[in-house]
Amino acid sequence: MGAVAGCATPLDRGEFESSYAVRPATEAPVWQALAHATLEKGPDWFVPLNRGPDALRMRLALIDSATTSIDAKYFIWHDDHTGSLLLERIIAAADRGVRVRLLIDDVELSESTDEWVAADAHPNISVRIYNPFSARAKGAMGRFIDNLNDLARVNHRMHNKGIVADNMVAIIGGRNVADEYHGFGDAANFRDFDLLAGGEIVPAISSAFDHFWNSGWAYPAHAVEPGDRHDETALAILRAHLADREIVLENWLGIHNAETHDWTAELVRFADTAISGSARVLVDRPDVEDPDPAVQVTSTLRQVASEATSEIIVITPYMIPPPAMMDTVWELEKRHVEIVILTNSLNTNNHVSVHAGYRRHRDDLLTAGVDLHEYRIDAEARGDYEARGYRAESFTVHAKVLIFDRKQVFVGTFNVDPRSMFINTEIGLLIDSPELAEGIRALVAVDLHPENAWHVVRDEDGRLTWVGHDRTLSREPSVSGWRRFQAWLLGLVPMDNQL
């Protein structure tokens, strides 16, 4: 295959060596112990990962416990403290003979592609980059500009997130790999949500990974950047850089017993809290040039929502309902199905342009009877999601959770916006389990409390009002007039279908 870098020539599907998930490592002592602990939890079992630091510990536990394979795919993997820590542990796993496949979307790799090429030089690590940009400009915006002649293709991104160890246990949910997703950010932190999953569902998650890995749109990292070093020297330099960057977390690792060790006893204790259910994987096809958009997740969730009889709770960072969704909302309201939505306020949304799109639909949602809440920048619950000692300047809801009739729950990467519905690929678990649905409902109910979220309603004169535990506002809460002006200005641009 010719080099990808250096030009903006439209990229075609490649032909690369196929590989597939290994068989589940049922003989490994750690997984035998876990299987015994969850013997009566079948066919599938789940543990919510509600706090960022806990989610980081469980990722470390899976990586350190792997004996045969690690498969991970992420929309974003930053070269910050947590990203460096996780990659360092993955390389250590490869050193002990574990086969590693890492699949990363190209949208934010402009500054760190050389490190992925170096990691790929390890004999037990394969790194592939999903749907790479032909012209390798620095920065996501520069890449899109330099690839305008191939925009339809590069606009399609893999928004999937997940990691599987030994084809036995997986983590699926909204978290990317970066400090802010695990509560260690200085500038920003996110309220996010994952599930630790085990049982019969794990091979299905692995199968979804294989589909992307072998799609022809997952390019080997060294083919994407042939000018970067791909040898033992580059790998040695990478090891040193990772050690330097992750040292910031050493105190936390020691305090929370998250250094490399045998995690069996802790995983078993964790699994004792697992909740049983029956799950299926919802995943969009990775077919970049398919004339039909990747709407498999959207179609299923719309069907499940249309069948609700009493209540739907939606936690989503971005809320831009297209007409078909509003039709469903109106139909549900006619049947007296309560719809509760928590999304970001102008203060907490990390994309002002997306909030501008949401503002155009807020009145319609309220008119349809939706119980609407927007997260507060000063939410009292922030401390539950940020690591101790980390209080970031900004804070954003990033969890993607839908609960149907208190008996069925979806956890994954899906945002309620056109980009997730019709452009990017998404993945998640749809789980039948009243106990899990009630448990997750109780966890997210905290975020709806008036000290954590504004309740958006109309006053007696029909004007929008934001009601909190301490005050009521007659205009949209914003940290600055400039941010409010940006939202107003961007709201004049009709770009909902790209948000």
Side-chain angles (χ1 to χ4, degrees):
M1 184 192 71
V4 173
C7 67
T9 303
L11 190 68
D12 295 321
R13 183 191 300 268
E15 294 184 7
F16 312 108
E17 183 179 356
S18 297
S19 69
Y20 298 90
V22 301
R23 68 179 184 85
T26 53
E27 298 85 2
V30 60
W31 307 129
Q32 287 186 340
L34 203 61
H36 180 74
T38 58
L39 193 59
E40 298 181 0
K41 306 274 189 181
D44 306 312
W45 55 265
F46 310 92
V47 181
L49 300 176
N50 195 43
R51 299 183 63 253
D54 294 339
L56 178 59
R57 285 190 84 250
M58 281 301 101
R59 281 168 169 80
L60 293 171
L62 264 58
I63 293 167
D64 291 347
S65 301
T67 62
T68 59
S69 68
I70 295 171
D71 290 334
K73 62 177 175 179
Y74 282 93
F75 178 59
I76 293 172
W77 191 313
H78 284 170
D79 57 352
D80 54 13
H81 305 309
T82 56
S84 298
L85 172 64
L86 288 167
L87 184 54
E88 184 180 50
R89 293 287 182 90
I90 282 175
I91 292 174
D95 288 341
R96 62 178 187 265
V98 175
R99 187 200 73 173
V100 177
R101 296 187 296 174
L102 302 176
L103 178 58
I104 315 296
D105 190 87
D106 196 29
V107 72
E108 290 198 19
L109 287 188
S110 58
E111 304 300 329
S112 58
T113 312
D114 59 330
E115 296 197 342
W116 293 111
V117 175
D120 186 73
H122 194 293
N124 291 328
I125 298 177
S126 296
V127 180
R128 291 189 178 181
I129 297 175
Y130 182 78
N131 197 20
F133 291 84
S134 297
R136 311 296 299 167
K138 296 296 183 182
M141 184 58 68
R143 289 192 177 187
F144 277 105
I145 291 173
D146 285 356
N147 288 270
L148 285 175
N149 64 321
D150 200 14
L151 186 60
R153 178 184 66 83
V154 300
N155 195 34
H156 172 95
R157 307 314 318 169
M158 182 193 74
H159 197 233
N160 306 31
K161 308 165 184 72
I163 184 169
V164 183
D166 283 357
N167 207 0
M168 290 293 295
V169 180
I171 294 175
I172 291 286
R175 288 186 177 93
N176 289 295
V177 178
D179 288 345
E180 57 267 31
Y181 297 95
H182 298 92
F184 290 93
D186 293 320
N189 275 318
F190 291 160
R191 188 275 186 264
D192 221 320
F193 195 86
D194 290 318
L195 285 176
L196 181 72
E200 296 175 4
I201 193 62
V202 177
I205 297 171
S206 294
S207 178
F209 180 96
D210 288 344
H211 195 186
F212 277 77
W213 186 263
N214 299 315
S215 66
W217 295 108
Y219 273 66
H222 59 85
V224 173
E225 292 284 7
D228 289 340
R229 295 196 63 167
H230 185 250
D231 53 29
E232 291 184 3
T233 300
L235 180 59
I237 293 171
L238 172 61
R239 291 178 190 267
H241 286 170
L242 295 176
D244 286 343
R245 290 199 295 260
E246 67 89 8
I247 199 170
V248 173
L249 298 178
E250 279 193 355
N251 285 340
W252 177 84
L253 291 169
I255 292 171
H256 295 278
N257 193 28
E259 296 169 327
T260 303
H261 66 282
D262 184 350
W263 292 84
T264 302
E266 289 159 88
L267 283 169
V268 167
R269 286 197 298 271
F270 207 64
D272 284 340
T273 68
I275 299 171
S276 62
S278 178
R280 54 176 164 150
V281 178
L282 303 188
V283 60
D284 291 322
R285 293 190 303 266
D287 304 322
V288 172
E289 294 184 331
D290 193 321
D292 297 320
V295 296
Q296 290 75 44
V297 175
T298 300
S299 298
T300 302
L301 291 178
R302 182 179 297 156
Q303 180 62 36
V304 173
S306 70
E307 296 170 356
T309 59
S310 60
E311 177 190 80
I312 300 176
I313 295 178
V314 179
I315 313 297
T316 179
Y318 317 119
M319 167 58 67
I320 303 177
M325 177 184 165
M326 285 307 304
D327 290 343
T328 301
V329 170
W330 278 106
E331 180 60 34
L332 290 167
E333 289 296 335
K334 289 177 184 177
R335 301 200 330 252
H336 305 291
V337 175
E338 182 181 15
I339 301 175
V340 182
I341 295 175
L342 172 67
T343 191
N344 282 298
S345 64
L346 177 57
N347 268 342
T348 62
N349 202 312
N350 60 326
H351 297 296
V352 177
S353 58
V354 177
H355 188 81
Y358 156 68
R359 287 177 57 179
R360 286 193 287 269
H361 301 277
R362 189 161 47 196
D363 277 331
D364 291 340
L365 291 167
L366 291 173
T367 300
V370 169
D371 186 11
L372 187 59
H373 302 257
E374 296 178 0
Y375 211 71
R376 293 179 62 144
I377 189 68
D378 58 350
E380 293 184 7
R382 280 184 58 170
D384 295 336
Y385 309 124
E386 294 179 291
R388 181 172 296 181
Y390 289 82
R391 177 79 176 189
E393 180 180 345
S394 68
F395 193 81
T396 296
V397 170
H398 196 260
K400 302 96 163 44
V401 177
L402 293 90
I403 306 170
F404 305 98
D405 291 340
R406 303 192 183 198
K407 62 183 181 181
Q408 200 172 33
V409 60
F410 173 85
V411 175
T413 68
F414 178 85
N415 300 316
V416 185
D417 61 26
R419 176 157 287 275
S420 275
M421 292 180 182
F422 308 119
I423 301 175
N424 292 344
T425 67
E426 308 292 347
I427 191 171
L429 300 179
L430 181 63
I431 306 161
D432 291 309
S433 172
E435 184 182 0
L436 183 64
E438 286 283 10
I440 294 177
R441 188 180 186 278
L443 291 174
V444 301
V446 173
D447 301 301
L448 296 168
H449 290 173
E451 64 270 23
N452 298 319
W454 299 104
H455 192 192
V456 185
V457 297
R458 288 198 180 98
D459 64 15
E460 57 186 16
D461 296 321
R463 295 172 299 193
L464 288 183
T465 304
W466 286 258
V467 180
H469 72 295
D470 54 347
R471 61 193 186 276
T472 297
L473 305 178
S474 58
R475 65 185 308 203
E476 188 163 32
S478 177
V479 293
S480 69
W482 168 242
R483 190 171 178 87
R484 188 177 285 114
F485 173 75
Q486 284 180 291
W488 171 82
L489 185 64
L490 290 168
L492 301 177
V493 182
M495 55 180 176
D496 280 10
N497 64 342
Q498 293 298 312
L499 297 176

